[in-house]
Amino acid sequence: MTLAAGPIRHTVAFRLRHPDGSEPERAFLETAATVLPAIPGVDEFELLDEVSPKNDFRFGISMEFADQAAYDAYNAHPDHVRFVQERWETEVEDFLEVDYRAR
Amino acid sequence: MTLAAGPIRHTVAFRLRHPDGSEPERAFLETAATVLPAIPGVDEFELLDEVSPKNDFRFGISMEFADQAAYDAYNAHPDHVRFVQERWETEVEDFLEVDYRAR
């Protein structure tokens, strides 16, 4: 996919397998909030609560990349790959990625 | 549902029934970008392109409210109700609302 140049806001709404307020939930969120924003190219990192009653997600992550090259580098970064393999794939029950660019 | 006080970021990812680049598409987006940010309580309004290949949405709207009361007032505002009834319900093929608050 070819994107025009320009910042991209990458968001992921998700729900964990862990009970609300549990220690594994806390640990997952803390790791996400530590590992992901430290990866080069990640700007405006936010760890969020999802609060709409109209979907089943419970948390959100939002970050911005200067361009598609920065986004691609993030996806390929060893710390991101490791987080996805070791934590995301086993602890996340459902998620949806939504990425935005200014029109 | 009771939310703690604090800003709420209301986002909607959506896909129109109109062909890409069509005049009805342009008109819908222009109306959304004119009517919605003029409603009291709407901050940080953005009309966005959705660019992830991992979902079928094509556009996004993002806005922030100071608190749940401002969000409720927006939902009940006649201009919002009219826009939903006259445009959204007939021209939008699919959508998902995702709302975030800072943790």
Side-chain angles (χ1 to χ4, degrees):
Chain A
M1 190 177 68
T2 303
L3 293 175
I8 299 165
R9 185 181 302 150
H10 169 52
T11 74
V12 189
F14 63 100
R15 182 174 68 249
L16 294 172
R17 299 183 187 281
H18 307 306
D20 283 353
S22 64
E23 169 56 24
E25 175 189 84
R26 189 205 60 73
F28 178 93
L29 297 174
E30 182 178 291
T31 300
T34 303
V35 170
L36 302 180
I39 296 173
V42 173
D43 296 326
E44 309 289 342
F45 181 90
E46 296 176 296
L47 176 63
L48 301 157
D49 284 326
E50 203 294 318
V51 296
S52 172
K54 299 180 182 177
N55 68 60
D56 290 329
F57 301 117
R58 175 70 183 82
F59 301 105
I61 289 172
S62 179
M63 63 188 75
E64 295 186 8
F65 299 102
D67 52 29
Q68 185 66 37
Y71 191 177
D72 293 344
Y74 165 82
N75 276 328
H77 192 283
D79 291 351
H80 177 256
V81 171
R82 186 180 308 116
F83 177 77
V84 169
Q85 289 178 345
E86 295 183 357
R87 308 300 300 267
W88 194 269
E89 290 179 358
T90 56
E91 297 179 58
V92 172
E93 188 168 79
D94 191 21
F95 69 99
L96 179 69
E97 297 180 66
V98 179
D99 295 346
Y100 290 122
R101 272 194 312 142
R103 283 186 57 79
Chain B
M1 190 175 70
T2 302
L3 293 175
I8 299 165
R9 185 181 304 150
H10 169 52
T11 75
V12 190
F14 62 101
R15 183 175 66 249
L16 294 172
R17 299 183 187 280
H18 308 304
D20 283 352
S22 66
E23 169 56 24
E25 175 189 85
R26 189 205 59 75
F28 179 92
L29 297 174
E30 181 178 292
T31 300
T34 304
V35 171
L36 300 180
I39 296 174
V42 174
D43 297 325
E44 310 289 343
F45 181 89
E46 295 176 297
L47 177 62
L48 301 157
D49 285 326
E50 203 294 318
V51 296
S52 173
K54 299 181 182 177
N55 68 61
D56 290 329
F57 301 117
R58 175 70 184 80
F59 302 105
I61 289 172
S62 179
M63 62 188 76
E64 295 187 9
F65 299 103
D67 52 30
Q68 185 66 37
Y71 191 177
D72 292 344
Y74 165 82
N75 277 328
H77 192 284
D79 291 350
H80 177 256
V81 171
R82 186 180 309 115
F83 178 77
V84 169
Q85 290 178 345
E86 295 182 357
R87 308 301 299 267
W88 194 270
E89 290 179 357
T90 57
E91 297 179 59
V92 172
E93 188 168 78
D94 191 22
F95 71 98
L96 178 69
E97 297 180 67
V98 179
D99 295 346
Y100 291 122
R101 273 194 311 141
R103 285 186 56 80

